[in-house]
Amino acid sequence: MYCAYWGRGYACNPAAIHAAARELAPHLRAVFLVEPDAVGSMPPGVEYAVIGSRKYWRVLARAKYLVNNANFADAVVKRRGSVHLQTQHGTPLKTMGADQATYPVVAAATGSFTRLLARVDRWDFNLTSNRHSTQMWERAFPGAHETLEYGYPRNDVYYTASAEDVARVRKELGVPDGKKALLYAPTHRDYATGFASGLDLAEFCEAIGDDYVVLLRAHYFYDQGFSRGGGRIIDVTGHRSSEDVCLAADALITDYSSIMFDYANLDRPIVVYADDWEVYRETRGVYFDLMKCPPGRVARTPEELAAVFRDGGWADESAAALRAAFRERFCQFDDGRAAERVVRRVLLGEPPESIPPVTPLAGRVPAPAAATLVRS
């Protein structure tokens, strides 16, 4: 049984594991749990159960393996003999789990930490993509589960996709030929209600020139509602796969979103737009100072951000050096074979010593960028 983002559909690490299991463990019946409004987005041939339905409770009671990138509801009781895999859905910059207790705004929204730890007690395995995550998850979600330093299956595509795949996705998203696509993907703010970009994208597009278009992807907490696209702004918030959107982008602009850690696997430029870093750090809490070890150039105002693209700083040698150090630290276990490792260890029960080792960073080849971006 698989579930992603509380039933939002076929996505993230659970979807990637499901796809690998169809090849490596075809004898296992697989059912995805979804909310009613996600049924229409399910891929053909994927069995699903609507959360709360009779089928949902029946398969939940019978499932041997339960895979989730968040947590199952408190009412779900772990049956003897069942195996729970927590895949997570990002590398933590912001505080998570028990570490949120000292931040009042976040703690109030989180609810009972006793119930949180009870949910953690159901885990048998917890997935991680780098040593930083391993250490932070051990703090935030203390328990007796086994940590799997296998990488994130959703990031496999960043090493397996071809130039044709990149071109196909750009066409699907409507990226014009010859234009550089900048993915703008801000995270949510615990101290704010609703999505309000801290950047006027129309003015930003005007300031950087006609060579660029912006792919806007709001945080999934805010993916319902009116379209925010138009002109050189393409709203890709509703696109099912964030991995596809990343493949299509020549560069990433983000603030404190964990998407930066995933996108770094592509070895393409990343620019951090940190207009409210101090407020975010004090209200949410962070595990390290992003301003001291960013994945690329940092801008604190709209003017600085536009200047980074006008003068070429977004893709210069200093930006590449920052990105290389960032990748060394946070792309440790993502090498294109994470899903295979998970299926073999968890679903097929193979011993740890037989699992394919992680390919060193220097030996990996990321998916090619679009022809509009020349890489060294």
Side-chain angles (χ1 to χ4, degrees):
M1 176 173 288
Y2 299 87
C3 189
Y5 298 115
W6 305 277
R8 292 180 65 249
Y10 191 80
C12 195
N13 292 317
I17 296 170
H18 173 272
R22 297 177 88 171
E23 299 294 327
L24 298 172
H27 61 287
L28 294 177
R29 178 189 175 193
V31 181
F32 237 88
L33 305 182
V34 295
E35 291 289 351
D37 58 2
V39 169
S41 66
M42 292 299 292
V46 177
E47 185 179 357
Y48 64 86
V50 175
I51 293 175
S53 67
R54 183 182 297 272
K55 180 180 180 180
Y56 162 80
W57 288 109
R58 183 170 63 250
V59 295
L60 189 63
R62 299 178 61 189
K64 167 74 174 180
Y65 304 99
L66 296 93
V67 181
N68 206 328
N69 74 347
N71 258 312
F72 291 101
D74 291 338
V76 174
V77 177
K78 185 177 182 181
R79 182 173 55 82
R80 186 173 61 182
S82 65
V83 177
H84 285 239
L85 167 64
Q86 169 59 252
T87 73
Q88 305 294 345
H89 54 270
T91 291
L93 165 61
K94 61 189 178 186
T95 56
M96 299 291 290
D99 288 336
Q100 298 174 346
T102 57
Y103 295 89
V105 172
V106 187
T110 301
S112 170
F113 287 95
T114 300
R115 288 199 296 271
L116 169 65
L117 295 179
R119 294 191 290 270
V120 173
D121 282 343
R122 296 186 300 215
W123 303 355
D124 293 287
F125 298 98
N126 185 38
L127 196 57
T128 177
S129 58
N130 47 63
R131 285 294 300 166
H132 163 78
S133 293
T134 298
Q135 294 165 357
M136 297 308 104
W137 295 147
E138 288 175 352
R139 280 181 40 177
F141 304 115
H145 49 266
E146 178 183 341
T147 296
L148 302 179
E149 293 184 321
Y150 288 174
Y152 279 159
R154 71 180 185 186
N155 291 343
D156 285 352
V157 69
Y158 297 143
Y159 296 99
T160 61
S162 65
E164 290 74 20
D165 293 324
V166 173
R168 172 185 53 80
V169 173
R170 287 171 69 92
K171 184 176 181 180
E172 289 176 357
L173 297 179
V175 178
D177 291 340
K179 299 290 186 180
K180 296 183 179 69
L182 307 179
L183 172 58
Y184 177 52
T187 191
H188 77 286
R189 301 297 193 271
D190 297 281
Y191 62 85
T193 301
F195 175 74
S197 173
L199 180 66
D200 188 316
L201 292 178
E203 290 185 1
F204 173 68
C205 288
E206 185 68 24
I208 62 177
D210 295 335
D211 291 339
Y212 302 91
V213 295
V214 172
L215 305 177
L216 168 63
R217 190 169 181 85
H219 190 273
Y220 57 82
F221 284 175
Y222 311 130
D223 64 357
Q224 303 296 322
F226 63 90
S227 173
R228 293 164 287 261
R232 289 163 54 198
I233 304 168
I234 304 171
D235 190 350
V236 296
T237 302
H239 191 78
R240 179 179 60 83
S241 171
S242 61
E243 292 76 44
D244 278 359
V245 174
C246 286
L247 284 173
D250 295 302
L252 169 68
I253 304 171
T254 188
D255 41 24
Y256 326 117
S257 172
S258 65
I259 198 173
M260 73 178 79
F261 302 98
D262 305 313
Y263 190 84
N265 283 285
L266 288 168
D267 197 17
R268 302 178 193 173
I270 302 173
V271 177
V272 174
Y273 178 55
D275 62 329
D276 63 344
W277 169 249
E278 289 76 19
V279 176
Y280 185 87
R281 180 182 60 193
E282 293 303 317
T283 55
R284 175 67 200 220
V286 296
Y287 286 123
F288 66 92
D289 190 345
L290 183 64
M291 301 300 101
K292 293 183 178 179
C293 51
R297 296 288 293 272
V298 175
R300 302 299 299 268
T301 67
E303 293 75 20
E304 289 180 4
L305 183 62
V308 165
F309 286 92
R310 283 199 307 268
D311 64 19
W314 63 288
D316 64 12
E317 291 184 2
S318 64
L322 290 169
R323 186 170 70 253
F326 192 85
R327 295 182 76 237
E328 190 73 30
R329 181 179 180 186
F330 296 112
C331 297
Q332 287 174 289
F333 309 139
D334 291 329
D335 65 350
R337 300 186 69 182
E340 176 188 352
R341 283 190 282 268
V342 171
V343 171
R344 292 190 181 281
R345 178 73 180 95
V346 178
L347 302 185
L348 296 179
E350 296 183 7
E353 59 270 18
S354 71
I355 304 302
V358 174
T359 302
L361 189 62
R364 306 174 204 165
V365 180
T372 54
L373 180 65
V374 177
R375 292 171 52 204
S376 61

